[in-house]
Amino acid sequence: MKRKSYALAVMAAAVHAATGHAQVSNTSTTPATLPEVVVTGNPLGSELFELAAPVSVLGGQQLFLQRKSTLGETLNELPGVSSTSFGPNASRPVIRGLDGDRIRILQNGAGTLDASSLSFDHALSIDPLVVERAEVVRGPAALFYGGSAVGGVVNVIDNRIPQAAINGVTGRAETRYGGADREKATGIVFEAGNGSLALHADVYTRDTDDLRIKGFARSARLRAADPQPVEASGTLPNSAAKSDGGAFGLSHTWANGYIGISKSGFNTQYGTVAEPNVTIDMQSRRWDVAGEMRELGSIIKSVKFKAGNTDYEHTELDAGVPATVFRNKGRDLHLEATHGKLGPLQGAIGFQFTDFDFSALGAEAFVPSTGTNAKSGFFYEELPLGKLKLTFGGRHERTEVSSEGGGAVPFGAAAPRFDPAQSRTFSGNSGALGAVWSFMPGLALAVNGAYTERAPTYYELFANGPHAATGAYEVGSAAFAKEKSKALDVTLRMKSGKHSGSIGVFENRFDNFIALFNTGNTRGADGELNPPDAGDGTSLNTGEEILPEFAYRAVPARFRGVEGEGRFRVLERGGSLDLLVNASYVRADDRSSGQPLPRIAPWRYGVGLDYRQDRLGARLDATIHADQDRVAAGERPTDGYTMLNAAVTYRLPAAGLRLEAFLRGVNLLNEEARNHVSFLKDIAPQGRRSGQVGVRGQF
């Protein structure tokens, strides 16, 4: 089904179904105030204040104002979170300096199973426009989600499979225009039900131009080191994008549970920035099934499951001609059961199964076709002891990673690029122990310790080829053992009336941290080692481009840092004025050499004001990003900058409809801002000063 017709069909089906099964609700559109219950990182569910692990939640008005075109940029302002920022169109969250397959990205609790972790230029198959809420676990969460969550978890929630009864018709719509990329975006969410049958449909579209920037695309340091006769300035070449998608979901709900199914699609075409003539055409089709049964009995209290099937395809077009095609077809199943009390203990047991097949065909296939199969089981228990709550659990995971090997013989080479077919099997064990001590009213101390074993990924094991996105020839090692780490988190939280905040410290030690390092060698695109340079960056022997060789190596590493955030009511007379503060710092080292690890975000701290009075809202945020001059070998330092943003919202009078308009200003100081975490920081700055307007409605 074509892109536009897919989206329209979703909405047409929803409207037809709704008219047959529901009538418009006359209930108030003002949501009730309920405790903020977090569903990520605790199978029993818990209020944010009572979690042992540090968790941030982005939703409601805050999500509305911070929503960007990618998930990474949307979450970028949360404590401890940065983004990969491979141009404005591809950006994954980075948590405490960890990225890729150490950060588990979930959609309604199920894995996305795209190829975004393989390469920084691969976009996530999630558009933030229809997301209702995002929960971010900062720190190890392997107990519940496997070794790929050693750095944290991001779970986006969009209610595509309704879990609770819907009576009548509800929905929301949002449209926005402007920004440094002249974004034109619209999203519509529609839900209807008769108390038993619940329907959900959403559709969205987004169109952006090349990003407008301040000054030159290339940094002053790069221009001095590598002068070019022509320099791009004012706009970032090949950074425009178009995307659209939608979903349709259907649930049967009852007093003690639900069961449902959804079908969704995501399409995007965008420029890669690093390669001026290359665009990416990506499509993802997904089926999900989920259900829950509660109050089953005294032994097993409840059972819930989530299952997904994803068909993902990503085509890289060179001057409009398909060059490399990446495909990922996978299945994911997560099953949990909570048990009745065993004395004072309450908890859950669970099982997870993930299986996917990856293939890359074409000129930039630097990884062979592979298959990954992981099976795991876990348990989790809570022990309340008055003002103290203890939590503990364990997980066993068995992962098989296989390579088909072989591949075409590169020009000028004597053998295929990849080693013969082979398979590796890993058995990993993880455990966690936490405590939350509410030692005074409104004050709690949370301590969380975790031990994690992570199986190497298919690209860490089997990569061997030129990777255009990183501008390097990447080499993996099939001899890698499991990656092992030990982490400790200590957080002090406070909550008193309209005041809330937290401050914490963390440390994560790896015995064998697997990362890409510059070897000092070079290779031709055909794999030739240290070829003679013809004087123009190509091999004298073959004419192929010469690239620096980056190899995956396992080193002892340490990540440590501090995070804090707070919201304090400073005025409440006619309206309300809140003071917002936040700070994040992470330091990452190779413990064997004492050298810093690459692409670590600098010290960041910010202050803001949030004012609300009746229909009017206003917000001002200033975030200072320090210089980053503590860099790894081969990295350039990055200058600091101050990001000043402001927003004004106004709720428009509309009977039976909550209608709100906004005006947002971004980078009001017009700083040249470069994200040190990004591989492209020296060729792709963030957008210049810009404004954006929009409106959203709820009924």
Side-chain angles (χ1 to χ4, degrees):
M1 188 176 290
K2 300 298 183 183
R3 299 182 178 191
K4 298 297 182 184
S5 60
Y6 180 88
L8 292 174
V10 166
M11 291 305 296
V15 171
H16 175 75
T19 55
H21 293 282
Q23 296 182 354
V24 176
S25 172
N26 293 318
T27 59
S28 170
T29 59
T30 303
T33 301
L34 299 172
E36 190 169 51
V37 176
V38 176
V39 299
T40 308
N42 185 340
L44 304 181
S46 179
E47 290 189 43
L48 190 62
F49 193 73
E50 299 175 350
L51 287 170
V55 178
S56 293
V57 177
L58 186 63
Q61 182 80 354
Q62 188 180 4
L63 175 60
F64 173 50
L65 293 177
Q66 291 184 202
R67 208 187 308 268
K68 307 287 197 315
S69 59
T70 66
L71 184 63
E73 297 303 317
T74 298
L75 303 177
N76 190 42
E77 297 178 23
L78 295 178
V81 182
S82 52
S83 60
T84 54
S85 294
F86 200 92
N89 305 313
S91 184
R92 279 177 58 99
V94 179
I95 301 177
R96 296 177 171 180
L98 298 173
D99 58 15
D101 270 293
R102 295 183 184 88
I103 304 299
R104 180 86 158 143
I105 308 295
L106 305 174
Q107 192 167 11
N108 304 304
T112 56
L113 295 180
D114 53 30
S116 61
S117 63
L118 170 68
S119 178
F120 295 101
D121 62 329
H122 293 192
L124 272 166
S125 55
I126 295 174
D127 193 297
L129 200 57
V130 293
V131 170
E132 293 183 0
R133 171 184 171 101
E135 298 180 351
V136 180
V137 180
R138 305 191 307 273
L143 174 62
F144 306 108
Y145 306 108
S148 60
V150 63
V153 172
V154 175
N155 185 18
V156 297
I157 299 166
D158 51 32
N159 203 41
R160 283 178 165 173
I161 298 179
Q163 299 182 20
I166 299 174
N167 286 285
V169 177
T170 65
R172 69 183 192 275
E174 181 177 326
T175 186
R176 51 182 64 209
Y177 173 79
D181 55 1
R182 296 183 178 90
E183 176 189 30
K184 298 175 285 292
T186 299
I188 301 171
V189 177
F190 176 89
E191 294 183 334
N194 61 4
S196 174
L197 186 67
L199 304 173
H200 170 102
D202 63 66
V203 63
Y204 54 88
T205 180
R206 187 189 304 276
D207 192 335
T208 63
D209 296 338
D210 283 343
L211 185 72
R212 290 176 294 170
I213 58 176
K214 180 187 178 182
F216 295 104
R218 299 203 310 158
S219 67
R221 288 185 176 89
L222 181 57
R223 297 197 310 272
D226 180 27
Q228 298 288 333
V230 178
E231 293 283 357
S233 66
T235 60
L236 185 61
N238 198 29
S239 58
K242 291 184 178 182
S243 60
D244 60 72
F248 178 75
L250 174 66
S251 290
H252 170 54
T253 65
W254 61 94
N256 296 322
Y258 77 95
I259 187 167
I261 188 170
S262 73
K263 167 70 171 176
S264 60
F266 177 78
N267 314 286
T268 184
Q269 188 172 78
Y270 59 94
T272 62
V273 179
E275 303 167 278
N277 297 317
V278 174
T279 58
I280 289 176
D281 189 358
M282 188 262 276
Q283 300 179 14
S284 177
R285 299 290 180 263
R286 180 183 178 98
W287 284 96
D288 285 279
V289 180
E292 182 176 9
M293 293 177 286
R294 299 180 293 270
E295 299 184 14
L296 295 177
S298 59
I299 299 177
I300 299 297
K301 294 176 61 178
S302 66
V303 175
K304 61 182 176 181
F305 72 93
K306 302 178 189 298
N309 183 287
T310 300
D311 189 349
Y312 168 96
E313 183 174 300
H314 163 126
T315 303
E316 299 191 353
L317 307 167
D318 192 344
V321 178
T324 306
V325 179
F326 298 89
R327 293 189 177 95
N328 206 51
K329 295 186 177 182
R331 297 143 293 280
D332 186 74
L333 170 66
H334 192 94
L335 176 68
E336 291 178 11
T338 61
H339 63 72
K341 284 195 173 184
L342 303 175
L345 288 176
Q346 55 183 345
I349 58 174
F351 171 81
Q352 185 174 345
F353 168 80
T354 302
D355 179 81
F356 63 88
D357 297 312
F358 168 83
S359 65
L361 303 173
E364 294 184 9
F366 64 100
V367 180
S369 295
T370 62
T372 300
N373 179 282
K375 303 180 183 71
S376 57
F378 68 88
F379 73 93
Y380 170 83
E381 300 294 333
E382 290 185 353
L383 175 62
L385 299 171
K387 295 182 178 181
L388 180 68
K389 182 175 74 172
L390 299 179
T391 64
F392 61 93
R395 182 186 186 99
H396 177 73
E397 188 167 28
R398 186 173 178 84
T399 304
E400 182 180 3
V401 187
S402 58
S403 163
E404 293 185 8
V409 179
F411 176 77
R417 172 178 293 158
F418 305 118
D419 292 333
Q422 57 185 304
S423 180
R424 294 289 313 279
T425 300
F426 304 89
S427 292
N429 297 298
S430 300
L433 175 64
V436 181
W437 179 31
S438 301
F439 59 93
M440 288 180 61
L443 287 173
L445 182 67
V447 180
N448 195 53
Y451 172 78
T452 302
E453 295 183 345
R454 180 183 75 92
T457 65
Y458 61 95
Y459 54 86
E460 292 168 337
L461 292 168
F462 304 124
N464 186 17
H467 188 185
T470 59
Y473 193 102
E474 296 184 9
V475 181
S477 172
F480 280 139
K482 294 177 295 185
E483 184 181 78
K484 301 178 182 180
S485 66
K486 296 179 283 290
L488 180 66
D489 241 290
V490 181
T491 305
L492 178 65
R493 302 188 183 117
M494 66 84 60
K495 180 174 65 174
S496 176
K498 302 296 184 179
H499 310 302
S500 63
S502 66
I503 185 168
V505 294
F506 64 88
E507 180 167 324
N508 198 347
R509 284 177 173 256
F510 291 82
D511 291 343
N512 52 337
F513 181 75
I514 301 173
L516 267 178
F517 292 89
N518 191 334
T519 67
N521 294 321
T522 60
R523 285 185 183 263
D526 64 339
E528 181 185 13
L529 184 63
N530 295 322
D533 195 329
D536 58 357
T538 62
S539 168
L540 187 64
N541 295 335
T542 65
E544 296 281 345
E545 180 184 6
I546 296 176
L547 299 170
E549 182 188 62
F550 277 67
Y552 285 100
R553 291 188 359 231
V555 301
R558 178 177 62 184
F559 292 74
R560 52 181 171 165
V562 60
E563 299 163 348
E565 63 178 330
R567 174 182 284 266
F568 306 98
R569 180 64 51 87
V570 296
L571 178 66
E572 197 163 27
R573 186 179 302 169
S576 65
L577 180 66
D578 289 350
L579 173 67
L580 314 173
V581 294
N582 68 83
S584 301
Y585 173 73
V586 61
R587 180 185 175 109
D589 303 287
D590 177 344
R591 290 190 288 125
S592 63
S593 65
Q595 295 300 306
L597 293 175
R599 300 183 308 282
I600 300 299
W603 173 262
R604 182 182 76 188
Y605 54 97
V607 62
L609 293 171
D610 188 1
Y611 177 75
R612 299 183 188 184
Q613 182 180 24
D614 193 23
R615 298 180 181 275
L616 178 68
R619 180 160 174 163
L620 181 68
D621 293 282
T623 304
I624 297 173
H625 300 251
D627 296 342
Q628 181 57 291
D629 50 16
R630 190 175 186 275
V631 296
E635 272 193 309
R636 293 185 180 88
T638 304
D639 293 334
Y641 57 92
T642 299
M643 187 61 63
L644 182 66
N645 300 330
V648 177
T649 62
Y650 185 75
R651 186 159 51 87
L652 302 169
L657 180 68
R658 185 180 179 88
L659 194 62
E660 190 171 24
F662 79 89
L663 170 64
R664 183 172 66 183
V666 178
N667 192 8
L668 295 178
L669 300 179
N670 204 28
E671 294 266 51
E672 181 182 326
R674 297 182 184 271
N675 178 7
H676 186 79
V677 178
S678 172
F679 255 106
L680 302 186
K681 70 183 182 66
D682 283 306
I683 67 171
Q686 297 180 49
R688 58 161 297 155
R689 177 169 51 221
S690 63
Q692 187 179 57
V693 296
V695 63
R696 70 168 175 173
Q698 294 175 277
F699 61 90

